[in-house]
Amino acid sequence: MSVVSVGRDRLGSMAVKKTLIPWSSAKPAPVVMISGGESVLVRIAKDRIVSAARKQDPEEIEIDAAGYQAGELAMAASPSLFSSSKLIVVDAVEKCSEDFLSDALAYLDAPNDDAVVLLLHSGGNRGAKLIKKLDSVGFPRIDAAVLKNESDREKFAHTRFKTAKRRIDEAGMAALMSALGSDLAELNAGVDQLIEDTEGTITAEVVDQYYGGRVEATGFKVADAAVAGDAKNALSLLRHALSTGSDPVPLVAAVAMKLRGMAKVQGFSGTSGELASELKMAPWQVDRARREVRRWNEVALGQSLIAAAEADAAVKGGGRDPVYAVEWFVSEVARLARQR
């Protein structure tokens, strides 16, 4: 039996539903599905499975489930004179033909232990019967669902660093998320670069050397200064960002995001870990928001959120001068921060 085989005892029961396996644990099996539409996670999981499977020097075959013709899967997975093992990658299972669905369901009853059939399903209801049987039979399904919030993207980054046996401290992670946390592809590329180009613990200073000039990072620096009541520094950072081509829209968004985070934690008790899960924030975001909101009174924070809504509308076409709107907003936040 191949090293990628799943025991026949797992195939004997159709009653147990398996949970999704995280992308970081993806490995070959006679049949394995990557399920979800997050392209970064799909690529990482696929690379892990393919790289491991290639150690058996398999014959590699690609199948398009959308244009599938009856019998293709059985033919591709059958023993070959060219190689004792097979690696079959099936794309677009979410668009599969009826012939593929029928053949795949039948294949699950008697898979070739010397083959790895990798199914790629980006989401949707098509192929639901196949997914249900895959789970029941006990073959793995890899979770590659879209990461919708920053907390999940931060966990992704932590996992990448942990897998690479690299340490990033809390301030370094906060700086990285400020710079790249809104886009998983950019965050993943940033993690790759920091792993490859640096040594030792990754700190905020290290991250700033690489990504301190990003619009997101600049916006959060403006936000930090504004909510601290440091109008001079906030406006200086803002004008530098605008002079180097930054758009007012993400700059307003960065300040508004910080204010909303402060508003979320205001009045809540409990540990940062407990609140992080409830409020869809990272623990470090909860801790920082709590520290910052202590300097504010409730009325001033409410007024700042109203100012954020007005500035957002103004920079998105509702005002005559977006630059004036963002400068007014930052000045107003700094002024309100100093009220006691």
Side-chain angles (χ1 to χ4, degrees):
M1 183 178 286
S2 163
V3 295
V4 301
S5 298
V6 171
R8 286 300 182 190
D9 57 323
R10 292 178 65 191
L11 302 179
S13 171
M14 296 290 288
V16 179
K17 182 177 178 64
K18 301 296 180 180
T19 56
L20 287 174
I21 295 171
W23 57 270
S24 55
S25 299
K27 60 183 179 180
V31 183
V32 55
M33 176 181 283
I34 300 175
S35 181
E38 188 66 81
S39 60
V40 172
L41 302 186
V42 171
R43 185 174 69 251
I44 292 174
K46 180 181 176 182
D47 287 347
R48 286 176 61 94
I49 293 168
V50 169
S51 295
R54 281 176 175 166
K55 293 177 181 178
Q56 304 293 321
D57 193 25
E59 178 185 353
E60 298 187 29
I61 301 168
E62 294 185 359
I63 293 176
D64 175 16
Y68 179 89
Q69 299 296 315
E72 283 185 72
L73 180 58
M75 183 178 296
S78 63
S80 168
L81 295 175
F82 301 103
S83 176
S84 60
S85 60
K86 297 284 189 77
L87 172 59
I88 303 163
V89 179
V90 185
D91 197 15
V93 176
E94 75 282 356
K95 301 176 183 177
C96 67
S97 67
E98 285 296 326
D99 284 337
F100 175 80
L101 187 58
S102 176
D103 284 0
L105 288 169
Y107 184 78
L108 288 180
D109 293 328
N112 176 6
D113 285 338
D114 292 319
V116 173
V117 178
L118 173 56
L119 307 171
L120 305 180
H121 190 295
S122 66
N125 294 326
R126 184 64 176 162
K129 189 182 296 186
L130 176 61
I131 292 173
K132 183 177 181 180
K133 185 170 182 179
L134 191 79
D135 288 340
S136 297
V137 170
F139 284 122
R141 189 157 57 93
I142 312 303
D143 186 4
V146 174
L147 304 185
K148 296 181 179 180
N149 60 64
E150 189 168 297
S151 178
D152 288 339
R153 291 190 289 273
E154 185 191 359
K155 290 177 184 176
F156 164 83
H158 270 300
T159 301
R160 289 290 327 278
F161 284 120
K162 183 178 181 180
T163 301
K165 296 181 171 58
R166 293 296 305 279
R167 181 176 181 274
I168 181 168
D169 64 21
E170 184 176 334
M173 181 58 73
L176 181 61
M177 294 305 295
S178 293
L180 305 175
S182 62
D183 184 281
L184 189 66
E186 292 188 347
L187 179 60
N188 184 54
V191 171
D192 280 339
Q193 185 172 31
L194 291 170
I195 289 172
E196 294 173 7
D197 293 358
T198 68
E199 295 180 354
T201 299
I202 299 167
T203 64
E205 289 73 23
V206 172
V207 174
D208 203 50
Q209 288 175 7
Y210 284 85
Y211 306 112
R214 296 277 309 194
V215 171
E216 292 91 340
T218 303
F220 280 96
K221 288 178 181 178
V222 172
D224 287 343
V227 301
D230 187 353
K232 181 178 179 181
N233 191 32
L235 289 171
S236 176
L237 288 166
L238 174 64
R239 285 163 185 161
H240 174 72
L242 292 169
S243 68
T244 54
S246 294
D247 190 287
V249 173
L251 293 171
V252 167
V255 182
M257 183 183 298
K258 182 172 282 290
L259 293 169
R260 287 195 296 271
M262 291 162 58
K264 281 182 179 181
V265 303
Q266 192 174 46
F268 276 91
S269 59
T271 67
S272 57
E274 293 168 344
L275 284 183
S277 177
E278 184 176 347
L279 301 177
K280 303 299 183 183
M281 298 169 68
W284 64 265
Q285 289 176 309
V286 173
D287 289 336
R288 175 178 285 188
R290 278 175 155 175
R291 289 194 300 269
E292 291 166 336
V293 80
R294 290 192 194 109
R295 299 192 295 263
W296 284 67
N297 67 59
E298 292 185 12
V299 174
L301 184 55
Q303 291 173 335
S304 73
L305 290 170
I306 294 172
E310 293 175 355
D312 183 68
V315 297
K316 291 179 178 178
R320 294 181 180 180
D321 188 343
V323 171
Y324 170 80
V326 68
E327 287 189 345
W328 167 82
F329 175 46
V330 169
S331 297
E332 184 69 359
V333 171
R335 182 186 71 80
L336 290 166
R338 294 191 298 270
Q339 291 187 5
R340 294 293 183 268

